[in-house]
């Protein structure tokens, strides 16, 4: 029933995270109905992603011009190469950078599996960290995240003097009354 | 902080229905990280939408080859031109077609405004219906939909002998115990 070009697009949209098949159909028609110039603009924006490079050191997608293909963080001699934050996604890196309180490097692992296990690619990325002073695991403190951390720790056991995780406690602006027991317990332990 | 090509795409994705700015950022990086051939495939699928025509009679997006640009429904002499179902979206038309119990034509209005009012384009589309035997308003029985129907009825008052709405009642497979009062009331009235 769906025209072929719509079906093609639906198949691809439905593969994206958090887009279901029904939403994919709605999106495909919506995109078409915005008119041909909007269609072309979106297509060329997506095609424009090909210009981006992936940093061979931290795997951040970027557009820096240096010859080694390094991103602006790995290329910055002021950033401590002995301090590495391991994160899942680019957006996690962006959030940490936004704090302006971190002076080390990063390693982006890419989407983690819910069963905690690591892909061959992810293991290879972790193996690239050598002789670090400290590795900070910037993995979300969820049940899945805790499982992932256990697997990541195994890979990193000889890679750094110290492996830490981001501190747990009350979120700024959060009220004690509404904090769950686990969070409040962490806040007690990490009191300062 | 976002590379320019990512930012471009995020701006466009965030304009799509039910995609928020955070999801747009995640999607943009995800699309890039699937690799350049996947990027190109998605871009060309979207560009492929330009090939689709919009039926000048019912406004369905389609790929039929006839010279008048009509879709396969409007071009089918077996479909009763005196019976017209007015729907909001292509997906509503597809749902009605899937029942295989409808032999009339359609008119797609496009996204309806929450305040019920109709755009100039939507009024023009409604004005194209003339001398129908029956117009079926295939508008969802929601609060917003009811409001839209009031405005649509005004536009159609001289266009058909009869204007009806899709029947309300218990959904097939639905349990009486869990039906809301409004639905159960409609089911009583529409008993058969």
């Amino acid at each position: 029933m769906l025209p072929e070009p719509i079906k093609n697009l639906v198949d691809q949209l439905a593969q994206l995270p958090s887009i279901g098949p029904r939403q994919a159909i709605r999106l495909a028609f919506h995109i078409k109905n915005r008119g041909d110039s909007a269609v072309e603009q979106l297509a060329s924006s997506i095609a424009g992603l090909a210009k981006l490079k992936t940093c061979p050191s931290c795997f951040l997608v970027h557009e820096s011009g240096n010859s080694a293909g390094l991103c602006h963080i790995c290329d910055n001699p002021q950033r401590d190469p002995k301090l590495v934050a391991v994160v899942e996604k680019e957006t996690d890196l962006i959030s940490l950078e936004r704090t302006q309180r971190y002076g080390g490097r990063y390693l982006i692992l890419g989407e983690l599996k819910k069963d905690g296990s690591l892909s061959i690619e992810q293991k290879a990325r972790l193996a690239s960290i050598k002789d670090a002073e400290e590795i900070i695991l910037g993995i979300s403190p969820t049940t899945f995240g805790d499982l992932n951390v256990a697997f990541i720790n195994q890979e990193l056991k000889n890679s750094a003097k110290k492996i830490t995780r981001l501190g747990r406690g009350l979120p700024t602006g959060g009220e004690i009354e509404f904090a769950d027991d686990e969070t409040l317990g962490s806040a007690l332990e990490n009191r300062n």
Side-chain angles (χ1 to χ4, degrees), chain A residues 23-44:
Chain A
Q23 194 188 359
I25 294 176
R26 243 180 300 129
L27 283 173
F29 278 115
H30 180 93
I31 292 168
K32 169 65 187 172
N33 284 330
R34 291 197 304 168
D36 286 350
S37 82
V39 163
E40 207 183 299
Q41 212 187 344
L42 181 57
S44 83

Side-chain angles (χ1 to χ4, degrees), chain A residues 54-117:
Chain A
T54 300
C55 177
S57 175
C58 73
F59 300 94
L60 176 63
V61 158
H62 70 99
E63 51 182 349
S64 305
N66 71 71
S67 59
L70 291 172
C71 72
H72 68 285
I73 298 171
C74 293
D75 198 34
N76 181 349
Q78 317 248 295
R79 306 286 298 232
D80 184 354
K82 294 287 186 191
L83 176 62
V84 184
V86 173
V87 297
E88 181 177 7
K89 304 184 297 286
E90 285 82 358
T91 41
D92 299 333
L93 179 155
I94 291 170
S95 297
L96 285 169
E97 280 298 285
R98 229 186 275 127
T99 67
Q100 301 190 309
R101 301 213 219 158
Y102 180 65
R105 306 283 176 93
Y106 292 93
L107 183 77
I108 296 174
L109 283 182
E111 218 169 307
L112 291 165
K113 279 187 263 182
K114 296 269 188 233
D115 68 357
S117 67

Side-chain angles (χ1 to χ4, degrees), chain A residues 114-174:
Chain A
K114 296 269 188 233
D115 68 357
S117 67
L118 300 164
S119 69
I120 293 168
E121 166 72 17
Q122 287 170 332
K123 286 182 187 178
R125 290 187 184 186
L126 288 169
S128 73
I129 308 179
K130 289 192 176 75
D131 305 320
E133 283 294 320
E134 180 177 354
I135 298 173
I136 302 172
L137 302 184
I139 308 292
S140 299
T142 58
T143 314
F144 294 129
D146 291 349
L147 204 54
N148 291 130
V149 163
F151 280 87
I152 293 171
N153 268 326
Q154 256 177 355
E155 299 297 317
L156 292 177
K157 54 180 180 271
N158 301 315
S159 310
K161 290 199 182 135
K162 196 163 73 173
I163 300 182
T164 58
R165 281 188 80 176
L166 291 174
R168 301 186 185 204
L170 294 173
T172 303

